[in-house]
PDB file of all heavy atoms in Angstrom:
ATOM      1  N   LEU A 133     114.891  81.582  85.553  1.00 98.00           N
ATOM      2  CA  LEU A 133     116.008  82.237  84.887  1.00 98.00           C
ATOM      3  C   LEU A 133     117.058  82.567  85.942  1.00 98.00           C
ATOM      4  O   LEU A 133     116.737  83.160  86.984  1.00 98.00           O
ATOM      5  CB  LEU A 133     115.550  83.516  84.190  1.00 98.00           C
ATOM      6  CG  LEU A 133     114.397  83.378  83.188  1.00 98.00           C
ATOM      7  CD1 LEU A 133     114.042  84.739  82.587  1.00 98.00           C
ATOM      8  CD2 LEU A 133     114.729  82.370  82.099  1.00 98.00           C
ATOM      9  N   ILE A 134     118.329  82.202  85.677  1.00 98.00           N
ATOM     10  CA  ILE A 134     119.406  82.395  86.639  1.00 98.00           C
ATOM     11  C   ILE A 134     120.534  83.175  85.967  1.00 98.00           C
ATOM     12  O   ILE A 134     121.111  82.712  84.978  1.00 98.00           O
ATOM     13  CB  ILE A 134     119.936  81.049  87.159  1.00 98.00           C
ATOM     14  CG1 ILE A 134     118.791  80.237  87.778  1.00 98.00           C
ATOM     15  CG2 ILE A 134     121.050  81.266  88.176  1.00 98.00           C
ATOM     16  CD1 ILE A 134     119.168  78.810  88.126  1.00 98.00           C
ATOM     17  N   PRO A 135     120.849  84.375  86.471  1.00 98.00           N
ATOM     18  CA  PRO A 135     121.915  85.177  85.848  1.00 98.00           C
ATOM     19  C   PRO A 135     123.268  84.462  85.889  1.00 98.00           C
ATOM     20  O   PRO A 135     123.545  83.668  86.804  1.00 98.00           O
ATOM     21  CB  PRO A 135     121.942  86.449  86.711  1.00 98.00           C
ATOM     22  CG  PRO A 135     120.607  86.506  87.369  1.00 98.00           C
ATOM     23  CD  PRO A 135     120.206  85.077  87.581  1.00 98.00           C
ATOM     24  N   ASP A 136     124.108  84.748  84.904  1.00 98.00           N
ATOM     25  CA  ASP A 136     125.478  84.253  84.922  1.00 98.00           C
ATOM     26  C   ASP A 136     126.240  84.938  86.055  1.00 98.00           C
ATOM     27  O   ASP A 136     125.911  86.053  86.461  1.00 98.00           O
ATOM     28  CB  ASP A 136     126.169  84.553  83.591  1.00 98.00           C
ATOM     29  CG  ASP A 136     125.520  83.819  82.420  1.00 98.00           C
ATOM     30  OD1 ASP A 136     124.790  82.827  82.655  1.00 98.00           O
ATOM     31  OD2 ASP A 136     125.747  84.241  81.266  1.00 98.00           O
ATOM     32  N   GLY A 137     127.266  84.274  86.534  1.00 96.00           N
ATOM     33  CA  GLY A 137     128.094  84.884  87.562  1.00 96.00           C
ATOM     34  C   GLY A 137     127.857  84.269  88.918  1.00 96.00           C
ATOM     35  O   GLY A 137     127.163  83.262  89.070  1.00 96.00           O
ATOM     36  N   LYS A 138     128.455  84.914  89.925  1.00 93.00           N
ATOM     37  CA  LYS A 138     128.420  84.388  91.279  1.00 93.00           C
ATOM     38  C   LYS A 138     127.260  85.011  92.044  1.00 93.00           C
ATOM     39  O   LYS A 138     127.149  86.223  92.164  1.00 93.00           O
ATOM     40  CB  LYS A 138     129.743  84.692  91.987  1.00 93.00           C
ATOM     41  CG  LYS A 138     129.824  84.142  93.401  1.00 93.00           C
ATOM     42  CD  LYS A 138     131.196  84.390  93.991  1.00 93.00           C
ATOM     43  CE  LYS A 138     131.248  83.982  95.469  1.00 93.00           C
ATOM     44  NZ  LYS A 138     130.894  82.564  95.678  1.00 93.00           N
ATOM     45  N   GLY A 139     126.377  84.163  92.573  1.00 90.00           N
ATOM     46  CA  GLY A 139     125.260  84.633  93.400  1.00 90.00           C
ATOM     47  C   GLY A 139     125.670  84.696  94.849  1.00 90.00           C
ATOM     48  O   GLY A 139     126.869  84.695  95.146  1.00 90.00           O
ATOM     49  N   PRO A 140     124.732  84.741  95.773  1.00 98.00           N
ATOM     50  CA  PRO A 140     123.293  84.693  95.477  1.00 98.00           C
ATOM     51  C   PRO A 140     122.769  86.022  94.947  1.00 98.00           C
ATOM     52  O   PRO A 140     123.313  87.079  95.256  1.00 98.00           O
ATOM     53  CB  PRO A 140     122.678  84.340  96.834  1.00 98.00           C
ATOM     54  CG  PRO A 140     123.651  84.880  97.837  1.00 98.00           C
ATOM     55  CD  PRO A 140     125.000  84.723  97.225  1.00 98.00           C
ATOM     56  N   PHE A 141     121.680  85.930  94.158  1.00 98.00           N
ATOM     57  CA  PHE A 141     121.109  87.085  93.488  1.00 98.00           C
ATOM     58  C   PHE A 141     119.768  87.467  94.122  1.00 98.00           C
ATOM     59  O   PHE A 141     119.104  86.629  94.747  1.00 98.00           O
ATOM     60  CB  PHE A 141     120.865  86.760  92.013  1.00 98.00           C
ATOM     61  CG  PHE A 141     122.079  86.323  91.263  1.00 98.00           C
ATOM     62  CD1 PHE A 141     122.339  84.972  91.047  1.00 98.00           C
ATOM     63  CD2 PHE A 141     122.969  87.257  90.752  1.00 98.00           C
ATOM     64  CE1 PHE A 141     123.455  84.553  90.340  1.00 98.00           C
ATOM     65  CE2 PHE A 141     124.094  86.851  90.042  1.00 98.00           C
ATOM     66  CZ  PHE A 141     124.338  85.498  89.839  1.00 98.00           C
ATOM     67  N   PRO A 142     119.347  88.703  93.942  1.00 98.00           N
ATOM     68  CA  PRO A 142     117.947  89.023  94.265  1.00 98.00           C
ATOM     69  C   PRO A 142     117.031  88.277  93.306  1.00 98.00           C
ATOM     70  O   PRO A 142     117.466  87.861  92.224  1.00 98.00           O
ATOM     71  CB  PRO A 142     117.866  90.544  94.055  1.00 98.00           C
ATOM     72  CG  PRO A 142     118.941  90.845  93.066  1.00 98.00           C
ATOM     73  CD  PRO A 142     120.047  89.856  93.363  1.00 98.00           C
TER      74      PRO A 142
END
Side-chain angles (χ1 to χ4, degrees):
L133 305 179
I134 303 171
D136 296 341
K138 182 176 174 58
F141 303 98

